Amino acid sequence: MDAPPGRGQHAGMSFRPACREALGVPALAMAATFLAFGAAVQAAGFGLGWAIAASLFVYGMPGQLVLLAALGTPGGALPAVAGAVAANARFVPMAVALAPWLGGGPRRFLALPFIAVTPWAMAMRRLPAVPVERRLAWFLGFGLTSWTVAGLSTLVGHLVAPLLDIWFLAALLFVNPLYFGLILASDLGQPFVRRAAILGVAAAPLAFVLPAAWALLGAGLVGGTLAFLWSRHVGR
Amino acid sequence: MSADDLALALLVAACAAMRGAGLFVAGRLGADHPFVRWAASVAMATLAAFVTLAVVAPTGSLTLIPWQGRVAGFCAAMGVLAWRGGLFAPLMAGLAATLLVAMLV
C-alpha cells in the first residue's frame, strides 16, 4: 500500500498544476499587458533594467503606468510616486482578502511579491476548492509563473518596441480589462461577487470627480463598502 | 542614483509595504471575518470599476482605440462567454472584435 503523501508531496501536487494553469489564458493577458509596458518604457527613454525592475518589483500595472507617465512631466519624483502608490493601493484590500486562504504562519509572506490582480483573482476562484495544506503551494505556483511571464514579456516588449505600432500596443493593453471583465463575469453567479461587481460599475463615475490617482480606489471603496453592507443586510 | 531610479525604488518599497500590511493584518483572520469580506468586496468593486472605466472612459494609450471598438470588444467577449464559457475563446473574440471595429470606424 502506498504511503500517504507528505507535506512536500502535497505542495508539489498543487504547485505544478497551478503553474500549468497560469500558462494558459492568464499568461496571455499578462504577456500582452507587460509587453505593451516594456515597449512604452523603451519609447519613454528608460533602460531595460528600469523596465524589468518596475514589472517584477512593483508588479501592479496601474501604478507602473502612472509612474512612467508622471516621471516625464515637471513636478519631481515624489508626486509621481504618490500617484503611483495611490493607483496601486488596492494591494491592501487584495492582500487582506487573500491572507486567510494562505494559512496563518509566517510562510504566507512567501506570497508577498506575487500579489497582483491576475493571481489574486484566480486565487479567489480556485483556493476555496483547494485543500488547506495545498493552498499556499497553489498560489506560489500560479504567482511565480505569472511573475515570470510578466518579466519576460517586459523584456520582449522593450526589445521589439521600435517594431511595434502605438495602435497595436493600445490593443494589447486592452486585453487586460477584457480579461478581468471575463473573470468577474464568470463569477457573477456568486451573490457576493455579483453585488461587488454591480456596485463597482455603478461607482465608476466617481472617477470623474476624484483626483486621478485616487479615482479607481475611491470608486472601489464606495462600491465595495456598499456591496459589503448589502451582503450583510441580506445575510450572506 | 537618479531621480527616476529613486522614484522606482520608493514605489517598490511602498508596494511591498502595502502587500505586507494586508498579509500581516489578516493572516490570523478567517475568510468569513467581516474585515476580510469587506476587503474582498472593495477589491472586487475596484476591479469592476477598472474594467468599466477602461471600456467607457479610458485614459492613456487606450484612448487610441475608438469607443466603438472597445464596446464591441467587450460585448463580443461577454457574448462568447455566455455562449461557450471558458476564457480563451471569449478573450480572443473580444480582441478580434475590438481590432475589427476599430479598423472599420
Side-chain angles (χ1 to χ4, degrees):
Chain A
M1 196 169 120
D2 292 338
R7 187 174 180 174
Q9 287 168 291
H10 272 311
M13 286 161 65
S14 287
F15 187 86
R16 283 186 291 274
C19 293
R20 279 195 295 273
E21 184 167 8
L23 285 174
V25 181
L28 189 68
M30 295 286 282
T33 309
F34 282 83
L35 192 146
F37 176 74
V41 170
Q42 201 274 349
F46 291 93
L48 180 59
W50 196 95
I52 292 180
S55 285
L56 292 184
F57 302 126
V58 176
Y59 197 38
M61 191 50 71
Q64 290 172 231
L65 291 174
V66 167
L67 183 69
L68 183 63
L71 284 179
T73 58
L78 278 182
V81 174
V85 169
N88 275 357
R90 70 190 187 290
F91 285 153
V92 178
M94 281 166 48
V96 168
L98 183 64
W101 298 103
L102 301 178
R107 292 176 75 238
R108 71 181 181 277
F109 285 96
L110 292 172
L112 190 148
F114 311 124
I115 297 174
V117 173
T118 298
W120 175 83
M122 200 53 82
M124 298 307 284
R125 300 177 82 191
R126 293 282 184 266
L127 289 185
V130 174
V132 174
E133 68 276 11
R134 299 183 192 175
R135 287 173 179 163
L136 180 61
W138 186 97
F139 186 80
L140 292 178
F142 194 100
L144 182 62
T145 306
S146 299
W147 191 75
T148 305
V149 168
L152 291 174
S153 304
T154 303
L155 169 71
V156 172
H158 198 278
L159 294 177
V160 303
L163 308 174
L164 301 178
D165 183 74
I166 191 167
W167 195 86
F168 178 72
L169 293 174
L172 287 183
L173 275 181
F174 192 61
V175 169
N176 201 251
L178 273 182
Y179 172 68
F180 293 145
L182 286 168
I183 287 183
L184 274 177
S186 301
D187 290 339
L188 288 180
Q190 302 174 45
F192 178 76
V193 176
R194 187 164 60 241
R195 290 176 199 124
I198 290 171
L199 289 170
V201 170
L206 283 173
F208 300 122
V209 295
L210 293 170
W214 293 99
L216 201 53
L217 186 66
L221 274 171
V222 171
T225 302
L226 290 174
F228 170 73
L229 294 173
W230 183 4
S231 292
R232 280 180 71 97
H233 180 70
V234 297
R236 59 182 182 147
Chain B
M1 180 183 274
S2 71
D4 296 339
D5 293 341
L6 177 64
L8 179 58
L10 289 173
L11 180 59
V12 167
C15 288
M18 289 190 287
R19 291 175 170 117
L23 288 175
F24 180 77
V25 168
R28 299 205 174 276
L29 303 177
D32 283 329
H33 190 281
F35 180 59
V36 174
R37 299 279 290 180
W38 169 80
S41 187
V42 167
M44 283 176 192
T46 305
L47 196 55
F50 167 74
V51 172
T52 305
L53 292 171
V55 174
V56 177
T59 56
S61 304
L62 288 183
T63 54
L64 295 172
I65 305 172
W67 69 266
Q68 297 96 327
R70 299 192 305 266
V71 171
F74 185 78
C75 292
M78 293 303 145
V80 174
L81 176 71
W83 174 43
R84 294 189 52 173
L87 287 174
F88 184 75
L91 189 66
M92 289 297 103
L95 185 58
T98 302
L99 293 171
L100 184 66
V101 173
M103 279 191 288
L104 293 175
V105 173

